[in-house]
Amino acid sequence: MLASQLQAQHHLSRFSLSDPRVNILAAGIFALVAVLLTQWPALMLLLGLALLFNVMAGTRWRSVIKRLLAFETFMLLLVLMLPFSMPGETWFRLFGLSATIEGASQALTILLRANAVVLALLALLAIREPVSLGYGAAALGFPAKLIHLFMMTVRYIQVLGDEFQRLRNAMKARAFEPASNWHTWRSYGWLMGMLLVRSMERAQRIVDAMRCRGFDGSLYLRSQLLWRKSDSLLLLGLSLLALVPLVWQQFLE
């Protein structure tokens, strides 16, 4: 038991203890390769590499599966609708609508590509502290406003979640029960509206408090990032692995 925990920590250190710029650059290269791939065998290989990255990062598979299920719920609508919305050779008919082979092929391509990118992001970015990712993005020259937005979102997303939960509890205390009717949708509309209003009010209070403490819109890093030789080797290795499916696709063509 102890040996497995130590091994997991060792695997985790490969990605989580490197310079955060390595993770950001590797994720960008992986996403770029995913966009360039069009053939199923190459995309399946890329998906396998994303799974390998999660093994190397020591991510918890229960958490990965939970996040993937939430993502697949969104992808399910695309996969079901795309075959009926693209022209091409008819595959089958349902309720008078024609599903095309080209649409099904495109849906499968998008599904493989999206899952590969999500798994890679879970392995490369989700294991890092959000603050360290902000530091890495600043060191790479990302726009300051974008970094501020990211850092503030990370800091206050839980606050907004707590506010949402308080509003939901208030609705339950008033015996609200959701149903498929106009009252339910109107109540949810009021809920979103109140959450937006309270979020804006809290944001204004936060801005005022930051200005009282001398905030001038600049991002100051508490520590300087140090790029080491091992970071270069790790980025090179991850980049070469990500490029393997792209090279293989060229041979397939």
Side-chain angles (χ1 to χ4, degrees):
M1 181 69 176
L2 180 60
S4 62
Q5 292 178 353
L6 291 176
Q7 186 178 8
Q9 292 176 359
H10 175 68
H11 286 167
L12 184 62
S13 65
R14 296 179 182 179
F15 289 169
S16 64
L17 298 182
S18 61
D19 191 294
R21 288 171 289 186
V22 174
N23 301 67
I24 297 174
L25 291 173
I29 294 172
F30 193 94
L32 179 60
V33 171
V35 171
L36 296 176
L37 295 179
T38 57
Q39 298 191 15
W40 294 352
L43 285 169
M44 293 180 66
L45 177 59
L46 190 72
L47 182 62
L49 288 176
L51 292 172
L52 177 62
F53 286 174
N54 280 272
V55 173
M56 296 172 61
T59 52
R60 298 180 179 179
W61 289 105
R62 180 177 297 180
S63 176
V64 171
I65 294 174
K66 182 178 179 180
R67 294 179 180 181
L68 277 180
L69 288 177
F71 175 72
E72 299 302 342
T73 303
F74 168 76
M75 292 298 299
L76 181 62
L77 180 63
L78 174 66
V79 172
L80 292 178
M81 296 300 297
L82 195 57
F84 295 96
S85 59
M86 286 190 64
E89 183 181 352
T90 301
W91 183 21
F92 65 90
R93 292 182 178 272
L94 182 65
F95 301 117
L97 299 176
S98 298
T100 63
I101 297 177
E102 289 79 4
S105 176
Q106 186 67 19
L108 181 58
T109 300
I110 294 176
L111 184 65
L112 291 173
R113 181 183 293 125
N115 278 275
V117 172
V118 169
L119 283 171
L121 294 181
L122 290 177
L124 296 171
L125 300 184
I127 63 171
R128 299 300 304 249
E129 289 292 334
V131 175
S132 69
L133 292 177
Y135 284 7
L140 289 173
F142 281 62
K145 291 184 178 180
L146 179 62
I147 299 173
H148 289 166
L149 179 62
F150 172 74
M151 301 286 274
M152 296 297 289
T153 301
V154 170
R155 170 63 180 83
Y156 288 100
I157 189 67
Q158 185 61 43
V159 176
L160 296 180
D162 294 340
E163 186 67 31
F164 175 79
Q165 191 60 45
R166 283 194 292 269
L167 292 172
R168 287 284 290 122
N169 292 337
M171 295 174 66
K172 292 180 180 180
R174 291 167 174 80
F176 171 77
E177 293 186 1
S180 181
N181 52 42
W182 174 248
H183 172 69
T184 298
W185 296 115
R186 184 174 59 181
S187 299
Y188 280 140
W190 281 107
L191 172 63
M192 293 296 104
M194 286 300 300
L195 181 63
L196 178 61
V197 170
R198 295 193 180 187
S199 300
M200 294 176 62
E201 292 176 349
R202 183 179 290 271
Q204 187 59 50
R205 292 197 301 269
I206 293 171
V207 169
D208 294 339
M210 293 174 66
R211 287 175 177 172
C212 290
R213 289 164 174 80
F215 179 71
D216 60 356
S218 301
L219 179 67
Y220 298 98
L221 303 181
R222 293 180 299 176
S223 60
Q224 296 294 327
L225 299 177
L226 178 62
W227 187 277
R228 298 165 295 182
K229 182 179 179 180
S230 58
D231 296 324
S232 300
L233 294 176
L234 179 59
L235 178 59
L236 178 61
L238 293 175
S239 301
L240 291 177
L241 283 175
L243 290 173
V244 169
L246 187 60
V247 175
W248 188 31
Q249 179 174 263
Q250 298 302 318
F251 285 103
L252 292 176
E253 295 177 352

